Amino acid sequence: MTPIPPTAEHGIALTERVIASVEADPHRPILDYSAWAGPWLTGEPQPLPAGPLAEAVFPSGRPLPPSLRRWLAFDTGLLRRFGWLDEDDRFTPRPLGELARDELGELWGSCFDGVSDRFDECFLLPGGSDSRRVLATGAGDAHGEYPVLALDVDTSRAWS
């Protein structure tokens, strides 16, 4: 994996940039190319209160990445809409194979069963068509951020 240069926007710096953009236009679509994801906010931001946020960890006990902790201090509504949180603000991860099945169907989803033990706590990110982006908890980088995986099943690309 190629390290991210210190000047690249990553983690909290990128989250701060997104929050500033959302505050400037809270009802703009999450995805400029597709309205299905809806707006960043529906109503006012719904921050996670400081006490629960300070204690928040994933169900596995893994710590939240700093970028997610910052986003939760701003809003929980978006993550509830995308199935990351239940109505009591508890995280609802899925193993990679289950998430892939839910998003891509049985045929393509089953391709990811073999790595579900390694990626047992995953969260769907907005976007994609025949591919999806997934936050997978596990070993974080030097900044405490977790990897984002691309589940790509586009059969139109040439195999080499």
Side-chain angles (χ1 to χ4, degrees), residues 122-159:
C122 296
F123 299 89
L124 181 67
L125 294 165
S129 54
D130 56 354
S131 66
R132 300 290 190 280
R133 304 296 179 266
V134 175
L135 177 79
T137 68
D141 66 11
H143 306 281
E145 299 293 336
Y146 296 118
V148 172
L149 308 177
L151 309 184
D152 192 345
V153 295
D154 182 358
T155 58
S156 67
R157 292 186 182 98
W159 294 88

Side-chain angles (χ1 to χ4, degrees), residues 55-65 68-69 72 84-85 90-93 121-123 135-138 144 146:
E55 298 172 6
V57 294
F58 288 119
S60 64
R62 294 174 182 124
L64 302 185
L68 178 58
R69 195 170 291 282
L72 290 169
W84 285 46
L85 298 168
R90 290 182 302 237
F91 286 99
T92 56
E121 195 171 50
C122 296
F123 299 89
L135 177 79
T137 68
Y146 296 118

Side-chain angles (χ1 to χ4, degrees), residues 14-127:
L14 183 57
T15 303
E16 291 291 353
R17 184 173 165 207
V18 171
I19 289 171
S21 175
V22 170
E23 288 176 330
D25 186 3
H27 302 293
R28 99 168 215 264
I30 294 170
L31 305 171
D32 292 334
Y33 61 87
S34 175
W36 76 265
W40 283 94
L41 296 176
T42 56
E44 295 297 313
Q46 302 166 34
L48 190 62
L53 181 59
E55 298 172 6
V57 294
F58 288 119
S60 64
R62 294 174 182 124
L64 302 185
S67 59
L68 178 58
R69 195 170 291 282
R70 176 61 187 103
W71 181 264
L72 290 169
F74 173 68
D75 180 57
T76 58
L78 174 72
L79 298 179
R80 261 192 232 104
R81 288 192 341 249
F82 280 91
W84 285 46
L85 298 168
D86 66 13
E87 62 279 349
D88 296 318
D89 291 328
R90 290 182 302 237
F91 286 99
T92 56
R94 293 176 279 173
L96 187 60
E98 180 182 328
L99 188 151
R101 261 193 190 79
D102 291 347
E103 293 300 314
L104 305 171
E106 182 67 30
L107 174 68
W108 293 113
S110 65
C111 297
F112 297 93
D113 286 341
V115 293
S116 282
D117 287 345
R118 182 167 179 199
F119 301 106
D120 59 344
E121 195 171 50
C122 296
F123 299 89
L124 181 67
L125 294 165

